[in-house]
Amino acid sequence: MKNDIPVYDISTFEEYKNAGILVSRFGHYSKQYLHLHSAHRHSFYHMVCFTKGSGNQTIDFKNYPVLPGMIYFMTPGQVHSWAFESEVEGYIINFSENYFKSFLYNPLYLENFSFFDEHSGDAVLVLPELTMAKVVSLFEEILHEGKEPGPFDADLVKLLMLNIFIQVSRGLSLKQQTQTNSYNQTLLKSFKRLIETNFIELRFPRQYAALLYITPNHLNALCNDLLGISAGQLIRDRVILEAKRLLINMELSISEISEKLAFSDPSYFIKFFKKQVGSTPDKFRKQDK
């Protein structure tokens, strides 16, 4: 069996595997784990705040600059790489999917924050100066707790992290916060979760509408109103994203990728990819080298 893009678990960081969390100054982390500069996936949540440096990063094939004052959030499964142009400093926190589940009554609590939704457009942010100062102070408190462990230190770290999330969330517009709490936004989140776990097998909006107990027309109207695209396009976009992730691995043939994505034959996959992306899988693969 040929390997896909490398997937790193929290246990990759040997000293942190039992705690389910890694907290570090970014400069140290970047030099210690050089292999993580290349394209890879995480099976954990990943958050970085830059205070110094420049360069570029790629998250799921979208390029973003590296800037002081920038913070970004990644959810498990996303593809990521860095290309720095100068010395970079800041803070990094990696934490497992289960890290908050035994601490919070609501296991889906993190979904209240739009930046943990890779489709929201809020996952990469340049923080206002005042918010940045508060966030940096909280990162420093977390690092201090790691140096001098005491009673309830693990719980305090979780509280400090939640404070970071809240401070960043408050920096977003009131309109975004209102949308996040609306019924339609909740329904859209449920649709996205279903796509994430079923996009290989289920390709039609009517199949998801049935799972959500709404009509296909309702689902399509919802996506058009909130995202400006159809429900079908959202499903196709997720299939294309996975295809791009697989195409990074040069050891996988187009036929193997087609099979992994449950296309009936490679020629149909090639036509589908070209229609959605504007180039064939092979051309995309060569451009991404």
Side-chain angles (χ1 to χ4, degrees):
M1 178 70 68
K2 294 179 180 178
N3 294 325
D4 296 333
I5 301 167
V7 179
Y8 297 110
D9 187 69
I10 199 75
S11 61
T12 300
F13 315 99
E14 184 68 25
E15 63 271 40
Y16 299 96
K17 67 180 181 181
N18 294 323
I21 183 173
L22 179 154
V23 184
S24 177
R25 297 191 186 279
F26 187 80
H28 172 75
Y29 176 93
S30 177
K31 294 172 184 175
Q32 187 176 8
Y33 300 106
L34 290 173
H35 62 289
L36 295 181
H37 289 226
S38 307
H40 62 279
R41 302 189 203 213
H42 309 137
S43 67
F44 47 83
Y45 288 90
H46 172 73
M47 172 176 58
V48 171
C49 181
F50 295 114
T51 59
K52 174 186 175 183
S54 62
N56 291 280
Q57 60 180 327
T58 302
I59 302 175
D60 276 340
F61 310 97
K62 292 182 180 179
N63 293 316
Y64 302 93
V66 171
L67 301 168
M70 172 178 282
I71 191 168
Y72 73 83
F73 302 83
M74 287 181 59
T75 53
Q78 292 187 270
V79 175
H80 182 229
S81 63
W82 291 303
F84 298 127
E85 297 171 354
S86 64
E87 185 176 354
V88 178
E89 293 292 348
Y91 306 90
I92 181 168
I93 298 180
N94 296 332
F95 61 98
S96 68
E97 289 191 88
N98 294 323
Y99 185 68
F100 282 105
K101 288 186 178 178
S102 61
F103 182 72
L104 297 170
Y105 178 75
N106 178 5
L108 300 179
Y109 185 79
L110 292 186
E111 293 188 9
N112 290 320
F113 302 108
S114 62
F115 42 77
F116 280 123
D117 177 358
E118 61 197 82
H119 304 289
S120 68
D122 295 333
V124 180
L125 302 163
V126 176
L127 299 178
E129 187 175 343
L130 182 59
T131 302
M132 182 65 178
K134 291 178 180 178
V135 167
V136 165
S137 176
L138 289 164
F139 274 118
E140 288 292 341
E141 286 191 63
I142 292 172
L143 287 170
H144 178 75
E145 284 301 312
K147 289 180 180 178
E148 300 183 16
F152 305 106
D153 60 302
D155 287 348
L156 181 55
V157 167
K158 292 184 175 79
L159 288 172
L160 291 168
M161 286 174 63
L162 289 174
N163 199 347
I164 290 175
F165 302 158
I166 290 168
Q167 293 300 327
V168 174
S169 187
R170 284 179 174 178
L172 298 173
S173 71
L174 178 62
K175 179 181 179 181
Q176 288 172 314
Q177 293 303 305
T178 302
Q179 287 178 339
T180 299
N181 296 323
S182 72
Y183 167 76
N184 282 342
Q185 193 69 28
T186 300
L187 192 59
L188 181 61
K189 283 185 178 180
S190 297
F191 178 38
K192 289 177 179 177
R193 282 199 298 269
L194 287 172
I195 291 175
E196 195 62 32
T197 55
N198 296 283
F199 69 92
I200 298 293
E201 297 84 12
L202 306 181
R203 297 285 173 83
F204 300 103
R206 56 180 169 78
Q207 295 170 303
Y208 291 94
L211 293 173
L212 293 166
Y213 299 101
I214 61 175
T215 66
N217 286 341
H218 184 177
L219 180 60
N220 202 48
L222 178 75
C223 292
N224 277 311
D225 287 345
L226 296 182
L227 300 175
I229 60 174
S230 67
Q233 189 59 52
L234 195 61
I235 299 166
R236 290 189 290 273
D237 285 348
R238 183 60 185 88
V239 177
I240 288 297
L241 174 57
E242 195 64 22
K244 288 179 176 179
R245 289 173 172 177
L246 293 171
L247 284 164
I248 287 180
N249 180 11
M250 302 302 291
E251 293 185 353
L252 284 172
S253 69
I254 301 299
S255 295
E256 287 172 316
I257 293 172
S258 173
E259 184 178 355
K260 281 178 175 287
L261 295 175
F263 283 87
S264 55
D265 63 73
S267 63
Y268 178 52
F269 166 64
I270 292 170
K271 290 178 182 177
F272 173 82
F273 189 93
K274 185 174 182 179
K275 182 177 180 180
Q276 298 299 317
V277 179
S279 67
T280 64
D282 190 52
K283 285 184 179 180
F284 172 85
R285 170 175 271 174
K286 290 175 180 176
Q287 290 169 358
D288 196 64
K289 280 185 180 180

